[in-house]
């Protein structure tokens, strides 16, 4: 008689493999976008003969997409609540124009001008959010009107001409690099490398703490083998990119801004009451209101936040160009919205993660950069990005119906 019993280690291993496969299937959205980013980067690294991940190009990739990442963090919250903001590109361009007038024409000090611009951006978000939250006007209509209004105001403020250059201190907001505090090792910047090592360890630690916390509350967590593999891969990627950037000129100032904002919004959405309430509003606004959540106020605040981040992105973009132009911000809203949807945000609201929005923005950035290196025309670039966005939304609809 054949013994069909399975030893305990084999049985445990088989169960863990089945559990891992089930977990990946249930979280296909999150793992799919990470694998997509890796595949796209690998593809362009090969077809560009290694140009994509060169230190200079990787630094430029960060600088070129910083304002998209910044706005994607705000757009994610707007989309999660079930709304959309089509005006972010025009608002960022308008704020760049205001900054140029304040600093170049009226010679206002850099810190005061930045604070004033951020307040103007928040006020614009408040004005639009008021109509959406308290009057119930569809956000598509309100922000479409805002897109036209602020595009026209930017032209009026600049009188149809480019205004610049900006003061050198303001330019460092986008084109500056972190001051080196340790002795250089040839071309390697040790301060940036040290920060990268600390960041990699912090990400692994935070991931482990989060997994333990979820397990203690009875939430399904990743199998240990999958978690360990993902953590090692994450730390390796962070260390590699840190080394590449540190071998050029170190961390750009705007990368530090992006990292701080990403950590702040990640903590807010996952660990605070207001973050959980935003997802509740997006999941079911009527149920959230009946449970005592002030849905109108939350919607209003998400638009205020979006306006402030659009203003910050406008300042970063203006500092990078060293001038304010009437066409600044043109089409930004498309890349920002696409970044959120590609990163896993749901068109139905209630779903989306900060990390996903950042990954989505990087996917868009890598595609833009890689196609530009290959000499792909802007016409075909738009076609390809449109198809990628459509595919992401189709994938979301499929998951909703499954």
């Amino acid at each position: 008689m054949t013994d069909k019993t399975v030893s305990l280690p084999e049985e445990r291993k088989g169960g863990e493999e089945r559990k891992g496969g089930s977990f990946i299937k249930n979280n296909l959205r999150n793992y799919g976008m990470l694998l997509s980013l890796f595949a796209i980067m690998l593809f362009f690294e090969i077809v560009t003969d290694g140009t994509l991940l060169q230190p200079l190009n990787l630094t430029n990739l960060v600088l070129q997409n910083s304002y998209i990442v910044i706005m994607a963090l705000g757009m994610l919250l707007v989309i999660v609540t079930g709304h959309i903001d089509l005006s972010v590109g025009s608002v960022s361009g308008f704020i760049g124009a205001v900054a140029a007038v304040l600093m170049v024409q009226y010679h206002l000090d850099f810190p005061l001008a930045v604070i004033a611009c951020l307040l103007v951006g928040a006020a614009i978000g408040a004005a639009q959010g008021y109509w959406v939250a308290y009057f119930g006007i569809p956000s598509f209509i309100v922000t479409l009107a805002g897109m036209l209004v602020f595009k026209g105001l930017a032209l009026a403020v600049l009188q149809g001409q480019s205004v610049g250059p900006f003061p050198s201190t303001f330019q460092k907001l986008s084109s500056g690099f972190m001051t080196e505090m340790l002795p250089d090792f040839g071309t390697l910047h040790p301060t940036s490398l040290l920060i990268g090592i600390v960041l990699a360890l912090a990400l692994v630690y935070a991931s482990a703490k989060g997994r333990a916390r979820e397990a203690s509350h009875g939430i399904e967590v990743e199998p240990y083998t999958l978690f360990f593999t993902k953590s090692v891969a994450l730390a390796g990627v962070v260390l590699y990119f840190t080394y590449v950037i540190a071998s050029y000129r170190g961390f750009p100032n705007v990368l530090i801004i992006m990292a701080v904002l990403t950590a702040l919004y990640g903590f807010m959405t996952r660990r605070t009451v207001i973050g959980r309430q935003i997802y509740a509003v997006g999941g079911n606004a009527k149920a959230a209101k009946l449970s005592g959540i002030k849905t109108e106020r939350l919607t209003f605040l998400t638009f205020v936040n979006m306006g402030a981040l659009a203003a910050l992105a406008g300042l970063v973009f203006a500092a990078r160009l060293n001038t304010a132009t009437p066409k600044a911000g043109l089409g930004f809203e498309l890349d920002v919205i696409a970044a959120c949807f590609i990163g896993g945000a749901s068109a139905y609201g209630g779903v989306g993660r900060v990390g996903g929005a950042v990954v989505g923005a990087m996917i868009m950035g890598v595609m833009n950069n890689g196609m530009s290196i290959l000499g792909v025309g802007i016409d075909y670039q738009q076609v390809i990005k449109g198809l990628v966005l459509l595919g992401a939304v189709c994938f979301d609809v499929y998951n909703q119906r499954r």
Side-chain angles (χ1 to χ4, degrees):
M1 182 175 180
T2 305
D3 186 7
K4 294 184 179 181
T5 59
V6 182
S7 64
L8 184 60
E10 291 179 356
E11 184 179 357
R12 184 179 302 166
K13 181 179 179 182
E16 186 172 341
E17 288 177 352
R18 288 191 296 271
K19 185 179 178 182
S22 174
F23 186 88
I24 293 176
K25 183 178 179 180
N26 294 334
N27 295 269
L28 185 61
R29 182 196 301 267
N30 297 330
Y31 285 97
M33 62 187 177
L34 288 174
L35 292 175
S36 297
L37 176 60
F38 176 77
I40 290 171
M41 294 192 71
L42 181 62
F43 170 77
F44 281 113
E45 174 70 1
I46 293 173
V47 297
T48 61
D49 296 325
T51 303
L52 181 71
L53 296 182
Q54 289 293 322
L56 174 59
N57 190 68
L58 195 59
T59 301
N60 286 335
L61 186 62
V62 172
L63 298 177
Q64 290 167 2
N65 294 279
S66 55
Y67 47 90
I68 301 298
V69 173
I70 291 170
M71 286 191 286
L73 296 174
M75 186 65 73
L76 174 70
L77 300 185
V78 173
I79 292 175
V80 165
T81 56
H83 298 285
I84 200 74
D85 191 342
L86 300 177
S87 68
V88 291
S90 297
V91 171
S92 63
F94 171 68
I95 294 298
V98 172
V101 170
L102 293 177
M103 283 186 276
V104 177
Q105 296 183 355
Y106 291 97
H107 306 289
L108 188 66
D109 291 338
F110 156 60
L112 293 177
V114 169
I115 293 173
C117 288
L118 292 177
L119 290 176
V120 171
I124 292 171
Q128 297 189 131
Y130 182 79
W131 292 105
V132 174
Y134 296 103
F135 279 81
I137 300 176
S139 57
F140 180 89
I141 301 299
V142 173
T143 57
L144 178 61
M147 180 176 69
L148 299 174
V149 167
F150 294 108
K151 189 177 296 183
L153 287 177
L155 280 168
V157 168
L158 295 175
Q159 297 180 349
Q161 299 177 344
S162 297
V163 177
F166 286 101
S168 58
T169 52
F170 178 70
Q171 295 177 38
K172 291 180 180 178
L173 177 66
S174 181
S175 59
F177 292 81
M178 189 180 67
T179 303
E180 187 57 56
M181 294 177 289
L182 298 173
D184 288 349
F185 299 135
T187 59
L188 193 64
H189 293 73
T191 301
S192 298
L193 191 60
L194 179 61
I195 291 175
I197 294 172
V198 173
L199 177 61
L201 294 175
L203 288 173
V204 173
Y205 175 77
S207 182
K209 289 284 290 184
R211 181 179 185 274
R213 184 173 59 254
E214 290 176 354
S216 66
H217 288 85
I219 302 174
E220 182 187 19
V221 296
E222 299 165 302
Y224 180 76
T225 303
L226 180 60
F227 170 76
F228 179 79
T229 303
K230 190 187 77 171
S231 299
V232 171
L234 176 63
V237 169
V238 171
L239 291 175
Y240 173 76
F241 281 103
T242 298
Y243 175 79
V244 173
I245 291 178
S247 64
Y248 177 56
R249 295 181 61 184
F251 281 174
N253 293 334
V254 73
L255 179 59
I256 299 174
I257 295 173
M258 288 164 48
V260 171
L261 287 175
T262 301
L264 178 64
Y265 280 84
F267 176 82
M268 186 271 290
T269 54
R270 301 189 68 180
R271 301 295 301 277
T272 65
V273 173
I274 191 172
R276 291 190 288 269
Q277 288 179 345
I278 287 173
Y279 282 89
V281 170
N284 191 323
K286 292 183 179 179
K289 190 169 185 177
L290 290 173
S291 66
I293 297 175
K294 297 180 179 180
T295 57
E296 292 88 355
R297 186 179 69 177
L298 279 178
T299 300
F300 174 77
L301 291 177
T302 57
F303 277 92
V304 173
N305 174 73
M306 183 70 258
L309 288 181
L312 177 58
L315 293 171
V316 169
F317 185 71
R320 181 170 176 267
L321 290 184
N322 196 22
T323 186
T325 67
K327 291 186 177 181
L330 183 64
F332 283 5
E333 62 279 348
L334 302 180
D335 283 342
V336 173
I337 294 171
C340 292
F341 284 138
I342 291 172
S346 173
Y348 300 97
V351 176
R353 301 179 66 178
V354 168
V358 175
V359 171
M362 294 310 299
I363 288 176
M364 295 295 293
V366 171
M367 289 175 58
N368 288 333
N369 185 264
M371 288 189 290
S372 296
I373 294 174
L374 293 175
V376 178
I378 189 67
D379 46 358
Y380 287 106
Q381 288 189 31
Q382 297 297 329
V383 170
I384 293 172
K385 289 193 293 184
L387 292 175
V388 171
L389 174 59
L390 179 61
V393 175
C394 289
F395 183 71
D396 171 55
V397 172
Y398 169 74
N399 279 331
Q400 291 288 336
R401 294 179 176 177
R402 191 174 58 178

